[in-house]
Amino acid sequence: MTDDAPQPDRVEGARHPRDTPKLIGQSAAEAAFLDAFNGGKLHHAWMLTGPRGVGKATLAWRIARFLLATPDPDGGMFDLPPAETLEIDPDHPVARRVAAGAEAGLKSVTRTLNPDTKKMRKQIVVDDIRALNGFFQMSAADGGRRVVIIDDADEMNPNAANALLKMLEEPPERAVLLLLSHQPSSLLPTIRSRCRTLRLGTLDAAQMAEALDGSGVEVEDDPGALAELSGGSVGGALRLSLMGGVKTYADLVGLISSLPQLDRGRAIKLAEAAAQRGGEAKLDLLFTLLDLLLVRLARTGATGAPPAQPACADEIAVLQRLSPSPAQGRAWADAAQQISDRARHGLAVNLDPAALVLDTLRQIGQTAPR
């Protein structure tokens, strides 16, 4: 893949997970892997699960470097001390080869460009998986360990999944496969049953600040707000920051603060901004943030308390005023489902973006207490 080709396993504008220097907030998953390695119970296939953007790919690359650079616990003449960390010195030959994309013992599988259309495929296809057979055969002669990262396994089409299942049923000798999955329930049960699972959790505000600091992206937004809006996902937080998501959410909160009287001028301005040519990603972000705002309204009424961490100034006061009771919370919950379904249908059939945004805002206004 050329340097300017799309990279489906990387947030645009951020470091590739291969180059991320530190993994934040996932010490439990790292410890579980090290326990298996040190105990001589290294499984041939691992499934790294958790919400999108919490560090699964970063952990996979850390594991890959570790496995390729670290002798087996019982593989030498001398008793080696247990490994205490997955960290490998950046100057280690393996780390340098991985950074350069020149490590013969490592293969990364992602979606690929379609040679006919020159566009990125939406799925990992069977040829992407079958190519691993050549990788294992060509690299088996030296007897070293081989590592494969599949990012992400959810994107395999049925033929690719079946091809992978055959490899998991008869794993190549000294091979370790690392499958990343945001939704493991979507995978074949037979694939899941042949993998050991490492579950990664979401990050709190302090961990988010540390992770963003090491992301290679200059982030000016409040880490606490990004943690709230992204659900504790570093990848999600980076996308939000790069696309102005925190400001957009603040604009939405400011707009609904006038309910039940909708500020039509502000609504039209927001709709026109979302409808700009080439703004499909920002339009999708707007509706994602609208969904989130409705959920936060519903939870405030249902629980009788606003979120502990506001995502923008004045949000707490707005949520409490517009969702003061369990009954109003239920009304927001019902509206959220209807509004989301209607908006997603409008996006799918390419309705005028500005009109779709205005219609959605009108529906929200109709749900507000009088």
Side-chain angles (χ1 to χ4, degrees), residues 329-343:
R330 287 192 295 273
W332 283 119
D334 292 341
Q337 185 62 56
Q338 296 170 8
I339 290 171
S340 179
D341 290 346
R342 187 167 175 174

Side-chain angles (χ1 to χ4, degrees), residues 159-193:
N159 288 337
N162 285 319
L164 178 65
L165 178 59
K166 292 181 181 179
M167 293 182 183
L168 297 177
E169 290 173 338
E170 300 179 10
E173 187 176 356
R174 292 184 58 74
V176 176
L177 285 81
L178 304 172
L179 284 63
L180 279 60
S181 176
H182 316 304
Q183 296 179 310
S185 61
S186 67
L187 296 173
L188 293 173
T190 43
I191 287 180
R192 298 199 306 268
S193 67

Side-chain angles (χ1 to χ4, degrees), residues 31-44 46 66-67 70-75 80-83 145 174 176 196:
F33 184 86
L34 281 170
D35 286 346
F37 178 84
N38 289 325
K41 298 179 180 179
L42 182 63
H43 200 60
H44 69 276
W46 295 77
F66 172 83
L67 289 176
T70 307
D72 291 333
D74 58 349
L80 297 175
R145 182 178 280 123
R174 292 184 58 74
V176 176
R196 179 168 172 180

Side-chain angles (χ1 to χ4, degrees), residues 136-339:
F136 291 129
Q137 291 169 3
M138 290 176 61
S139 60
D142 66 7
R145 182 178 280 123
R146 308 300 165 190
V147 181
V148 172
I149 298 173
I150 301 179
D151 186 1
D152 62 79
D154 302 342
E155 294 177 336
M156 292 186 297
N157 67 19
N159 288 337
N162 285 319
L164 178 65
L165 178 59
K166 292 181 181 179
M167 293 182 183
L168 297 177
E169 290 173 338
E170 300 179 10
E173 187 176 356
R174 292 184 58 74
V176 176
L177 285 81
L178 304 172
L179 284 63
L180 279 60
S181 176
H182 316 304
Q183 296 179 310
S185 61
S186 67
L187 296 173
L188 293 173
T190 43
I191 287 180
R192 298 199 306 268
S193 67
R194 285 165 172 78
C195 299
R196 179 168 172 180
T197 299
L198 291 175
R199 292 183 176 85
L200 282 71
T202 56
L203 277 63
D204 60 27
Q207 293 169 334
M208 179 66 72
E210 187 178 0
L212 292 174
D213 187 55
S215 68
V217 176
E218 186 174 345
V219 176
E220 297 180 356
D221 296 306
D222 174 48
L226 288 171
E228 283 291 298
L229 295 176
S230 68
S233 161
V234 180
L238 288 171
R239 290 184 180 90
L240 282 165
S241 182
L242 291 167
M243 296 178 66
V246 173
K247 181 182 183 302
T248 299
Y249 186 79
D251 289 343
L252 288 173
V253 172
L255 179 60
I256 70 165
S257 68
S258 65
L259 295 179
Q261 298 299 319
L262 183 66
D263 186 332
R264 184 168 177 80
R266 291 181 71 175
I268 290 174
K269 183 177 179 181
L270 187 66
E272 290 176 344
Q276 292 178 359
R277 178 173 295 182
E280 292 84 0
K282 286 199 171 184
L283 181 64
D284 187 68
L285 174 65
L286 175 63
F287 280 105
T288 297
L289 292 174
L290 277 168
D291 288 345
L292 177 61
L293 178 54
L294 291 171
V295 168
R296 289 166 78 83
L297 280 163
R299 287 178 179 169
T300 296
T303 63
Q309 169 71 48
C312 67
D314 301 324
E315 184 194 24
I316 297 300
V318 172
L319 295 178
Q320 289 178 316
R321 184 178 71 80
L322 294 178
S323 195
S325 66
Q328 185 62 46
R330 287 192 295 273
W332 283 119
D334 292 341
Q337 185 62 56
Q338 296 170 8
I339 290 171

